[in-house]
Amino acid sequence: MGLRIHFVVDPHGWCCMGLIVFVWLYNIIIIPKIVLFPHYEEGHIPGILIIIFYGISIFCLVALVRASITDPGRLPENPKIPHGEREFWELCNKCNLMRPKRSHHCSRCGHCVRRMDHHCPWINNCVGEDNHWLFLQLCFYTELLTCYALMFAFCHYYYFLPLKKRNLDLFVVRHELAIMRLAAFMGITMWIGITGLFYTQLIGIITDTTSIEKMSNCCEEISRPRKPWQQTFSEVFGTRWKILWFIPFRQRQPLRIPYHFANHV
């Protein structure tokens, strides 16, 4: 499947995504400048910790960008319905187009999305069948990066040896306490929010239920776990190779499972 670019024109979404990028930039600039590089130069930490920090940061940014611009599963105006699956399609009462069951019409984007979970302003895009795996990676790497940054901020004051070489002419050194307090505040806020979101996403995949289905509370059968968790995760990530679930650089190849199987098995 080729990469399909999807761009949502929404100023509110742009502001939310810009805030996320600001927090990301703030941490990857401040934490290395104040904590990682000074302690590495004085031999307090190995260089591999810096490499891991930047590696997680890159994976997080790639997942964010790709989740934002990847087509979440927008349905074409004239979809080709397999002859044996017509009974598992329905008419959308908002755009008057045929769509597979478990699809949903996004009022903000103005079209139907296959297996839509929700519209996320933080990525300025819907979370649907084709980019849900990227959204999960974004949650995972954001959680990991936040914990990693908070751990280094804590160790900088309470575990590492005091720095001997400090250039007080640098702005970040003179105002270190205020800068680190702001970084800690953003990190804790981000960690609390992303932990709750990531947990609900994992539960939704395990139970094979989207966020919209949970809120509508109209699909009791869908809310019951019917498949092994390995199968539901494989369907979301498009592969049964678990190591590939953590790689945001690849192209997702959806498992060819009929819509009626996803709805009735």
Side-chain angles (χ1 to χ4, degrees):
M1 175 181 290
L3 178 63
R4 294 180 298 172
I5 302 298
H6 182 74
F7 186 75
V8 179
V9 180
D10 182 5
H12 176 256
W14 295 342
C15 292
C16 291
M17 189 173 176
L19 180 60
I20 295 297
V21 173
F22 169 77
V23 174
W24 180 84
L25 285 172
Y26 189 92
N27 280 277
I28 68 165
I29 293 174
I30 294 302
I31 297 299
K33 186 72 174 179
I34 295 180
V35 181
L36 296 181
F37 289 131
H39 284 284
Y40 170 73
E41 291 172 357
E42 297 192 10
H44 299 163
I45 61 173
I48 188 65
L49 294 181
I50 300 178
I51 296 175
I52 293 174
F53 179 82
Y54 279 111
I56 297 174
S57 301
I58 292 173
F59 274 55
C60 182
L61 181 63
V62 172
L64 171 63
V65 173
R66 293 200 61 194
S68 176
I69 66 173
T70 298
D71 188 338
R74 178 177 180 176
L75 288 166
E77 294 185 0
N78 296 307
K80 296 181 180 179
I81 306 176
H83 182 72
E85 298 181 12
R86 292 183 180 275
E87 61 180 301
F88 306 111
W89 287 61
E90 60 187 8
L91 181 67
C92 174
N93 58 8
K94 295 181 180 179
C95 59
N96 293 320
L97 296 176
M98 294 299 294
R99 66 185 187 187
K101 291 184 177 180
R102 302 191 72 181
S103 300
H104 185 76
H105 187 91
C106 178
S107 57
R108 186 171 291 273
C109 296
H111 53 71
C112 288
V113 177
R114 294 192 311 272
R115 205 179 186 279
M116 177 178 168
D117 188 83
H118 66 286
H119 183 92
C120 180
W122 301 107
I123 64 171
N124 192 33
N125 199 0
C126 291
V127 177
E129 184 177 283
D130 291 341
N131 71 339
H132 199 171
W133 66 287
L134 290 165
F135 184 75
L136 287 172
Q137 288 182 354
L138 174 62
C139 292
F140 174 75
Y141 286 116
T142 301
E143 182 99 355
L144 198 60
L145 181 62
T146 301
C147 291
Y148 206 64
L150 288 173
M151 178 191 70
F152 277 118
F154 176 85
C155 291
H156 177 61
Y157 290 106
Y158 301 105
Y159 183 76
F160 293 150
L161 294 174
L163 294 172
K164 298 177 181 178
K165 301 177 182 178
R166 295 174 60 84
N167 186 358
L168 297 178
D169 294 332
L170 294 176
F171 177 85
V172 293
V173 175
R174 294 199 311 270
H175 303 278
E176 174 185 315
L177 186 58
I179 292 174
M180 291 300 292
R181 282 177 175 175
L182 179 58
F185 171 77
M186 291 190 297
I188 293 173
T189 303
M190 182 74 72
W191 181 79
I192 293 174
I194 207 69
T195 297
L197 176 61
F198 194 31
Y199 173 78
T200 57
Q201 287 293 304
L202 293 178
I203 294 300
I205 294 177
I206 292 173
T207 59
D208 194 21
T209 311
T210 66
S211 298
I212 291 176
E213 290 167 349
K214 290 179 183 178
M215 291 186 293
S216 62
N217 197 26
C218 63
C219 303
E220 294 183 358
E221 292 185 1
I222 291 179
S223 65
R224 302 192 192 111
R226 301 174 299 283
K227 308 174 189 176
W229 68 269
Q230 296 95 331
Q231 181 176 341
T232 56
F233 274 86
S234 296
E235 291 174 11
V236 171
F237 286 96
T239 178
R240 294 182 174 86
W241 291 89
K242 295 181 178 60
I243 188 63
L244 296 180
W245 295 356
F246 300 91
I247 308 299
F249 303 98
R250 65 183 179 88
Q251 292 297 324
R252 177 182 179 273
Q253 299 295 334
L255 298 179
R256 297 302 178 183
I257 299 178
Y259 286 104
H260 66 273
F261 180 85
N263 279 300
H264 297 280
V265 173

